[in-house]
C-alpha cells in the first residue's frame, strides 16, 4: 500500500496527490510515469509524475476526474492509501540545451509538463510556457511555471483568464517573432498536441509530445499501448512516452484511446450510482 | 524399487488401464472459468498408482526437469500416505499443485515411462497423481514444508516471480539464504497469474503456493521493475545483495508486422490474457479493467501454441459465437499440448490450420472487422523438422472477425539488459548464461528461464531455477566465480 501524505484539489475535478513511494521518488526523472491501481478491484492506469522528492520519499501526481478510476482516485484524502504504484516507467525526457524552448501544457497536462520545463530551465534554456485551459478554474501549476518561465502565457477557450485563444495562436506568434523557438514540448489532449504538431511542422521546429496510451503492465509485456510513429509500431510504455510529434499518427492514437469508451461509461455510471448511495447514507447517518 | 508398498505382482499391474481424469462437461465448461479437470478421487488415485511398475532405475525421474522422485512418491500413494507423497515431491519441486496441472508430462516423465512404450498400454498418469497429492495436502492444510538450513548471512535478489524465480527462491531459502523476490506486477506468480487462465490453473492455488514460500521465509516485493525501479548494480551496491538471479521471462509480445495490426480489438495474447486473468476483466464491471466484449462475436486467435489455446478457449468463455484457431502449419504440428488441443476442440474451438493472416481490415471507426488469410501448403521440412508452410498463390480469402488475438510468441524483455552494464546478450536480446551453472558475463549475476532460453514451459523454467539455486549456493559458499 502506498500512503497519500497530501491530497488537495487544484481546481474543480483536478486533484494533486503526494504519495509515499520511496523507490519511485529516488529514481524519477522528468517525463517518466507510474502505473497505479487504486484498490484490488481496480484497473491499472498510467499517470505521469509531476514531481518527486527523494528526501521526503514522495512523488506528486495530478489527476483529473473524468472516468471511473480518476473519479475514484479523487475521492481519496490525505492519510488514505493507493493499493499499487509502480515506476518510474518510460524513458525520461531528453533534456539538452536547445536555446529557446516553448513548453505547452493543456489542461491537466500542465502538471506533467512542469517537471520537464523545470529541467529544461535548469539546463540553461530560455523557457517560454503556454498554459491552455477551457476556463479560468482549470488553470493549474501557474505559479510553479511562472517562476521558471520567461514569459508565461495563459490561454482559455472562454476568455475568462489570459488570452481568449487556443495554444497554437501564441505559439504561431512566437514562431513569427524574434523569439522563434528551437524546441517545443506539448503535453495535453490529443487534439491540442496534434494542432501543435501541425503548427511547428511547417516551421521545421523539433517538437515532442507525451502520449497517454492505454496500458496494462507498463513494462512492454502486453503491447496494448501500441502507437504508430513514423509508420512504425512502438510501445508508448517502453519506447516513449515522449515521441517526435511530427511522426506520430494522432488519428490512430485517438482511435485506440476510445477503444473502451462504452465500458468506461458503464463503469462510471455504476460508480456514480454507488457513490451517490454512499453519500446519501452518510447524510442520513 | 526394493521396498515397494505395491501388493500386486507386475503382471497384474499391467492389467489395469490408465484412469481418466474426470472433467467438467465440455459444453458447460466452455461458458465458465471453473477448472476443466476435476481431479482424481482417492479411489482413482490408488488404482492409478498401483499401475506403477516400480522400475529399478526409473526413467520417469530422468525425464523430469526438476528430478522429482516420482517412483517414491507414487509408492507412498499406494501406501495411502498422501501427505508423505506430497512432502516427497516438495523436496524437488516447490509448486506441485501447479506443475501437476500445467506440465507437458507426455513429453517428460510420462513420455519416459516404460508403460508408455508397451504395446496396448499407456503411461502412468504421473501428472494426475502429482496433482492429487498436492490438492490433498492443500485441502487438508497440512503442508509438508521442508526444513531450512541455518542462516548463511547471504542475501540473494531474484528478478521476476514466475516459475523460474519461485523455484530458485524455494531452493535457496532452504539452504539458509536470505531471499527477496522482486515482481513488476502487483501480484506474485508471473505467467502463472497473468498468462495461464483460471480454468487451467486456479489463482487460489498459486496464491497458496506463494504463501507456503512466505512461510519458508522467502520475501516478496511487488511493484518493482528491475532495470527501472532499481537496477542490478544498485541491488549489489546499495541494497547489499550478494547475488542476483534474473528470471524476467519472455515478456515482449511478437507481432507479425502485417497491415491492420494496430486496429482496435487486435490484441497480443499477453494483453488479452493479462486483462482477463490478472485483472479479472471477465468479471467486469465488478472489476474495473475492461476487455473486448466477445459475446456473440467472431474471434480469431493466431498461433498454435499453449498460449494460443488459452486465448481461444478464454474467448469462448467470454461468449464468442465462433472461436477460430488460425495456424499456418498443420494441426499435428501445433506446439500446444495434446490435452489442450483436445479440450479446445471438445469445447467448440474451430481449427483453421494451414491458414496465415496477411492483413486485418478495419471499419470506418478503426475496429477490426475481418482478416485476410492465405492458404498454406506443406513444403520441405524446415530446421524444426516440421514441413515449412508455403503460401498457395491466389488463395487469399476474407474471414469476418470482430476480435483478433496474436499469439505467435514472445521475445525477451530488454529492461534489465539495457540497464545492466557488463551483461552479455545474444543477437535475439536474450541474456547469455552458461548451461551448466547459468552464470552470466557479470560476476554474481545468474540468469535462467525464458529470458535465457526463449519462450518455453513452466517446468523448464523451474528446472533452470533449481540449477541457478545450486550454482548460486556454490558461489555464495565458495566465493568462486
Amino acid at each position: 500500500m502506498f500512503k497519500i501524505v497530501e491530497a488537495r484539489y487544484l481546481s474543480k475535478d483536478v486533484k494533486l496527490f503526494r504519495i509515499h513511494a520511496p523507490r519511485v521518488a529516488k529514481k524519477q526523472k522528468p517525463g517518466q510515469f507510474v502505473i497505479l491501481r487504486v484498490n484490488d478491484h481496480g484497473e491499472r492506469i498510467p499517470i505521469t509524475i509531476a514531481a518527486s522528492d527523494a528526501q521526503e520519499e514522495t512523488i506528486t501526481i495530478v489527476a483529473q476526474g473524468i472516468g471511473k478510476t480518476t473519479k475514484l482516485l479523487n475521492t481519496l484524502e490525505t492519510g488514505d492509501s493507493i493499493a499499487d504504484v509502480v515506476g518510474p516507467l518510460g524513458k525520461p525526457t531528453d533534456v539538452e540545451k536547445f536555446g529557446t524552448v516553448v513548453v505547452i501544457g493543456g489542461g491537466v497536462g500542465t502538471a506533467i509538463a512542469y517537471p520537464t520545463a523545470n529541467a529544461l530551465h535548469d539546463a540553461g534554456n530560455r523557457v517560454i510556457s503556454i498554459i491552455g485551459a477551457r476556463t479560468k478554474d482549470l488553470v493549474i501549476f501557474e505559479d510553479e511555471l511562472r517562476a521558471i518561465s520567461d514569459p508565461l502565457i495563459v490561454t482559455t477557450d472562454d476568455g475568462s483568464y489570459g488570452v481568449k485563444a487556443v495554444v497554437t495562436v501564441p505559439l504561431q506568434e512566437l514562431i513569427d517573432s524574434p523569439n522563434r523557438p528551437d524546441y517545443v514540448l506539448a503535453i495535453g489532449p490529443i487534439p491540442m498536441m496534434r494542432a501543435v504538431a501541425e503548427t511547428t511542422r511547417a516551421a521545421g521546429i523539433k517538437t515532442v509530445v507525451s502520449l497517454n496510451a492505454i496500458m496494462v503492465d507498463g513494462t512492454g509485456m502486453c503491447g496494448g499501448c501500441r502507437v504508430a510513429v513514423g509508420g512504425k509500431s512502438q510501445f508508448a510504455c517502453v519506447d516513449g512516452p515522449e515521441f517526435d510529434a511530427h511522426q506520430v499518427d494522432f488519428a490512430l492514437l485517438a482511435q485506440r484511446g476510445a477503444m473502451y469508451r462504452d465500458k468506461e461509461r458503464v463503469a462510471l455510471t455504476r460508480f456514480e450510482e454507488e457513490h451517490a448511495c454512499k453519500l446519501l447514507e452518510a447524510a442520513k447517518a | 524399487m526394493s521396498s515397494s508398498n505395491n501388493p500386486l505382482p507386475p503382471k497384474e499391474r499391467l492389467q489395469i488401464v490408465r484412469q481418466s481424469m474426470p472433467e467438467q462437461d465440455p459444453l458447460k465448461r466452455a461458458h465458465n472459468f471453473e477448472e476443466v479437470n476435476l481431479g482424481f478421487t482417492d479411489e482413482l488415485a490408488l488404482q492409478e498408482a498401483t499401475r506403477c511398475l516400480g522400475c529399478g532405475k526409473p526413467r520417469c525421474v530422468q525425464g523430469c526437469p526438476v528430478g522429482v522422485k516420482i517412483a517414491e512418491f507414487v509408492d507412498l500413494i499406494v501406501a495411502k500416505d498422501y501427505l508423505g507423497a506430497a512432502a516427497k515431491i516438495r523436496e524437488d519441486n516447490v509448486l506441485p499443485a501447479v506443475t501437476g496441472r500445467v506440465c507437458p508430462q507426455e513429453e517428460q516423465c510420462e513420455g519416459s515411462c516404460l508403460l508408455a512404450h508397451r504395446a496396448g498400454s499407456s503411461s502412468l498418469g504421473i501428472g494426475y497423481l502429482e496433482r492429487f497429492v498436492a490438492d490433498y495436502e492443500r485441502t487438508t492444510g497440512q503442508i509438508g514444508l521442508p526444513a531450512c538450513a541455518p542462516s548463511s548471512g547471504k542475501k540473494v535478489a531474484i528478478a521476476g516471480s514466475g516459475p523460474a524465480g519461485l523455484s530458485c527462491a524455494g531452493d535457496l531459502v532452504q539452504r539458509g539464504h536470505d531471499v527477496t523476490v522482486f515482481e513488476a506486477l502487483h501480484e506474485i506468480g508471473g505467467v502463472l497469474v497473468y498468462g495461464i487462465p483460471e480454468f487451467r490453473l486456479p489463482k487460489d492455488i498459486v496464491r497458496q503456493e506463494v504463501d507456503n514460500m512466505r512461510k519458508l521465509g522467502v520475501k516478496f516485493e511487488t511493484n518493482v521493475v528491475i532495470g527501472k525501479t532499481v537496477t542490478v548494480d544498485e541491488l549489489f551496491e546499495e541494497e547489499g545483495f550478494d547475488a542476483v538471479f534474473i528470471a524476467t521471462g519472455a515478456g515482449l509480445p511478437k507481432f507479425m508486422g502485417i497491415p491492420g495490426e494496430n486496429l482496435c480489438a487486435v490484441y497480443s495474447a499477453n494483453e488479452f490474457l493479462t486483462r482477463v486473468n490478472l485483472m479479472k476483466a471477465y468479471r467486469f464491471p465488478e472489476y474495473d479493467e475492461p476487455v473486448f466484449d466477445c459475446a456473440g462475436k467472431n474471434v480469431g486467435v493466431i498461433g498454435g501454441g499453449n498460449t494460443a489455446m488459452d486465448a481461444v478457449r478464454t474467448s469462448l468463455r467470454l461468449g464468442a459465437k465462433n472461436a477460430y484457431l488460425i495456424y499456418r502449419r498443420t494441426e499435428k504440428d501445433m506446439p500446444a499440448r495434446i490435452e489442450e488441443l483436445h479440450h479446445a476442440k471438445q469445447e467448440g474451438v474451430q481449427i483453421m490450420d494451414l491458414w496465415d493472416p496477411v492483413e486485418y481490415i478495419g471499419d470506418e471507426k478503426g475496429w477490426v472487422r475481418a482478416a485476410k488469410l492465405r492458404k498454406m501448403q506443406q513444403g520441405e521440412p524446415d530446421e524444426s523438422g516440421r514441413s515449412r508452410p508455403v503460401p498457395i498463390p491466389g488463395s487469399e480469402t476474407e474471414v469476418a472477425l470482430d476480435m483478433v488475438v496474436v499469439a505467435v510468441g514472445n521475445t525477451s524483455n530488454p529492461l534489465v539488459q539495457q540497464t545492466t552494464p557488463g551483461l552479455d546478450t545474444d543477437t535475439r536480446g536474450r541474456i547469455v548464461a552458461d548451461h551448466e551453472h547459468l552464470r552470466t558475463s557479470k560476476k554474481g549475476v545468474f540468469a535462467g528461464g525464458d529470458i535465457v532460453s526463449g519462450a518455453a514451459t513452466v517446468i523448464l523454467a523451474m528446472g533452470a531455477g533449481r540449477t541457478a539455486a545450486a550454482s548460486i549456493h556454490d558461489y555464495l559458499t565458495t566465493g568462486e566465480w
Side-chain angles (χ1 to χ4, degrees), chain A residues 23 26 221-222 226 260, chain B residues 221 238-239 261 267-268:
Chain A
R23 285 190 181 278
K26 195 174 154 192
M221 186 271 276
C222 85
R226 305 197 288 294
Y260 298 108
Chain B
E221 196 178 335
E238 295 173 22
E239 306 205 10
E261 262 181 332
Y267 288 99
S268 74

Side-chain angles (χ1 to χ4, degrees), chain A residues 10-281:
Chain A
L10 298 179
S11 73
K12 187 180 178 293
D13 295 336
V14 177
K15 202 167 183 180
L16 174 146
F17 297 92
R18 229 154 34 84
I19 303 162
H20 187 247
R23 285 190 181 278
V24 188
K26 195 174 154 192
K27 294 287 281 190
Q28 183 262 345
K29 292 201 173 79
Q32 291 188 296
F33 64 94
V34 288
I35 288 210
L36 61 82
R37 197 174 66 124
V38 178
N39 59 35
D40 63 7
H41 281 218
E43 62 178 338
R44 293 171 63 98
I45 60 161
I47 294 191
T48 305
I49 306 164
S52 63
D53 186 328
Q55 243 79 56
E56 299 269 315
E57 303 186 325
T58 60
I59 58 163
T60 301
I61 58 163
V62 175
Q64 183 171 16
I66 298 173
K68 187 225 160 139
T69 298
T70 43
K71 280 186 192 276
L72 173 68
L73 181 62
N74 285 0
T75 63
L76 301 182
E77 301 293 348
T78 305
D80 290 341
S81 290
I82 295 173
D84 301 286
V85 176
V86 60
L89 300 169
K91 288 184 177 158
T93 311
D94 248 338
V95 176
E96 286 173 42
K97 187 166 178 189
F98 298 103
T100 299
V101 305
V102 175
V103 175
I104 305 171
V108 74
T110 312
I112 304 165
Y114 170 66
T116 310
N118 204 10
L120 287 165
H121 174 263
D122 289 350
N125 293 287
R126 175 182 174 187
V127 177
I128 300 172
S129 299
I130 305 173
I131 300 178
R134 263 197 343 266
T135 184
K136 184 182 177 186
D137 289 347
L138 296 173
V139 174
I140 58 168
F141 272 65
E142 186 186 350
D143 294 341
E144 288 88 341
L145 272 170
R146 191 179 301 283
I148 53 157
S149 303
D150 174 25
L152 170 79
I153 302 163
V154 179
T155 69
T156 50
D157 294 353
D158 63 0
S160 55
Y161 191 57
V163 192
K164 182 178 178 185
V166 290
V167 294
T168 45
V169 173
L171 175 63
Q172 186 63 54
E173 285 169 11
L174 286 167
I175 293 171
D176 298 335
S177 78
N179 289 330
R180 190 181 191 279
D182 301 298
Y183 173 93
V184 173
L185 171 75
I187 304 178
I190 294 171
M192 186 211 87
M193 293 194 289
R194 190 200 316 225
V196 168
E198 289 318 312
T199 307
T200 57
R201 188 194 305 276
I205 298 168
K206 181 176 181 179
T207 303
V208 169
V209 286
S210 178
L211 306 185
N212 192 7
I214 294 173
M215 297 181 187
V216 184
D217 61 293
T219 64
M221 186 271 276
C222 85
C225 63
R226 305 197 288 294
V227 290
V229 181
K232 274 173 65 184
S233 243
Q234 303 255 283
F235 291 179
C237 67
V238 287
D239 301 319
E242 293 182 356
F243 294 98
D244 178 350
H246 299 148
Q247 303 288 320
V248 171
D249 181 344
F250 286 104
L252 180 74
L253 183 69
Q255 246 169 34
R256 290 187 62 86
M259 197 162 147
Y260 298 108
R261 196 151 283 167
D262 292 350
K263 298 264 181 182
E264 283 160 11
R265 210 169 290 131
V266 171
L268 183 59
T269 308
R270 195 169 180 266
F271 170 73
E272 283 176 336
E273 281 167 9
E274 277 173 11
H275 197 59
C277 284
K278 271 186 202 153
L279 290 177
L280 208 65
E281 274 169 31

Side-chain angles (χ1 to χ4, degrees), chain B residues 327-329 333 378-390:
Chain B
Y327 184 53
R328 65 195 178 116
R329 300 178 192 260
D333 282 336
Q378 292 179 268
E380 292 298 306
D382 62 14
E383 62 277 12
S384 73
R386 301 171 296 179
S387 305
R388 184 186 301 278
V390 182

Side-chain angles (χ1 to χ4, degrees), chain B residues 83 135-143 208 215:
Chain B
L83 291 175
D135 286 356
Y136 182 88
E137 180 191 48
R138 203 160 48 79
T139 46
T140 56
Q142 303 172 61
I143 309 290
Q208 208 160 349
K215 284 182 197 145

Side-chain angles (χ1 to χ4, degrees), chain B residues 151-411:
Chain B
S151 169
S152 68
K154 300 285 186 187
K155 279 176 73 178
V156 184
I158 296 178
S161 70
L166 290 179
S167 152
C168 184
D171 277 8
L172 284 173
V173 81
Q174 287 177 51
R175 288 172 162 139
H177 305 300
D178 179 354
V179 182
T180 305
V181 180
F182 294 100
E183 167 57 47
L185 291 167
H186 56 265
E187 240 186 271
I188 298 297
V191 74
L192 305 177
V193 294
Y194 77 72
I196 302 176
E198 184 77 16
F199 58 84
R200 275 214 297 137
L201 178 63
K203 301 309 148 214
D204 275 347
I205 290 174
V206 181
R207 234 165 272 137
Q208 208 160 349
E209 295 279 26
V210 169
D211 281 343
N212 292 336
M213 301 195 57
R214 276 203 186 90
K215 284 182 197 145
L216 281 176
V218 177
K219 297 170 194 161
F220 292 99
E221 196 178 335
T222 53
N223 297 315
V224 176
V225 183
I226 301 296
K228 283 282 176 191
T229 312
V230 61
T231 64
V232 170
D233 285 337
E234 287 164 346
L235 289 173
F236 285 113
E237 289 156 20
E238 295 173 22
E239 306 205 10
F241 286 99
D242 300 291
V244 174
F245 177 50
I246 301 169
T248 46
L252 207 65
K254 271 191 209 164
F255 286 92
M256 293 168 64
I258 60 176
E261 262 181 332
N262 289 337
L263 288 166
C264 293
V266 177
Y267 288 99
S268 74
N270 284 0
E271 182 183 4
F272 178 64
L273 291 171
T274 301
R275 284 181 180 274
V276 179
N277 299 330
L278 176 73
M279 304 308 297
K280 303 214 166 359
Y282 68 97
R283 288 166 69 180
F284 180 90
E286 187 197 335
Y287 284 78
D288 292 335
E289 193 82 44
V291 72
F292 179 78
D293 190 351
C294 299
K297 301 289 173 60
N298 297 316
V299 171
V301 175
I302 317 300
N306 287 317
T307 307
M309 294 294 166
D310 285 345
V312 77
R313 295 172 71 198
T314 296
S315 75
L316 270 184
R317 284 158 174 79
L318 293 172
K321 182 174 72 181
N322 289 299
Y324 304 105
L325 192 76
I326 300 164
Y327 184 53
R328 65 195 178 116
R329 300 178 192 260
T330 62
E331 184 182 313
K332 72 170 179 35
D333 282 336
M334 286 184 181
R337 288 187 64 197
I338 296 158
E339 185 183 33
E340 303 308 326
L341 177 62
H342 169 70
H343 280 159
K345 286 162 82 171
Q346 274 185 330
E347 289 165 10
V349 167
Q350 299 166 58
I351 310 288
M352 293 181 67
D353 61 352
L354 289 168
W355 283 103
D356 194 35
V358 289
E359 184 184 352
Y360 302 112
I361 301 156
D363 66 13
E364 67 286 353
K365 284 184 173 164
W367 289 83
V368 66
R369 64 165 183 81
K372 195 182 278 179
L373 307 177
R374 62 181 173 187
K375 189 74 186 166
M376 310 297 272
Q377 59 189 346
Q378 292 179 268
E380 292 298 306
D382 62 14
E383 62 277 12
S384 73
R386 301 171 296 179
S387 305
R388 184 186 301 278
V390 182
I392 300 174
S395 62
E396 288 184 5
T397 185
E398 230 178 86
V399 175
L401 294 177
D402 305 292
M403 181 181 98
V404 170
V405 179
V406 183
V408 297
N410 283 287
T411 55

